[in-house]
Amino acid sequence: MNTKAVNKDPTTQRESFTELLGDLANNSARVFRDEIELVIQRIHEKVKAVRSGVLTLAIGVVISFAAFMSLCAALIIELTSYMVPVIAAVVTGAALALIGLVIACIGFRKLKKSIFKK
């Protein structure tokens, strides 16, 4: 017939149910902590990659700026054969300032358009 003994004692069932709930809570907390650690690790990796990119960009900008200044000096030197060196420097500076102003205005308009876009 029925050889299995059925445990109908409610106290042992409650203990096993509370143990299961405790295990579930512990496992859920452990999974949550592991997920947080994984997210933090991914953020650290992305920060390292961004830092490397920004550093490379900064080095490139500094080198490009030095090259640009050399080209400006060459332009001023070339213009001194046609005018006084001070005037050559002023003309070069004024031309570069005008070009910079035009580019800044274009950038400002694009920014304004993107911010106040309806």
Side-chain angles (χ1 to χ4, degrees), residues 93-108:
L96 292 174
L98 183 64
I99 292 169
L101 183 65
V102 169
I103 292 172
C105 286
I106 292 169
F108 180 72

Side-chain angles (χ1 to χ4, degrees), residues 33-47:
R33 282 191 300 268
D34 290 345
E35 287 296 323
I36 289 175
E37 288 177 16
L38 184 61
V39 168
I40 290 172
Q41 182 181 1
R42 287 180 185 167
I43 290 172
H44 283 300
E45 289 172 1
K46 288 187 180 196
V47 165

Side-chain angles (χ1 to χ4, degrees), residues 2 9 15-17 25 29 50-51 55 101 103 110 112 115:
N2 191 359
D9 185 15
E15 289 175 359
S16 64
F17 183 70
V50 168
R51 186 182 306 148
L55 182 61
L101 183 65
I103 292 172
K110 285 183 179 181
K112 187 177 175 183
I115 289 175

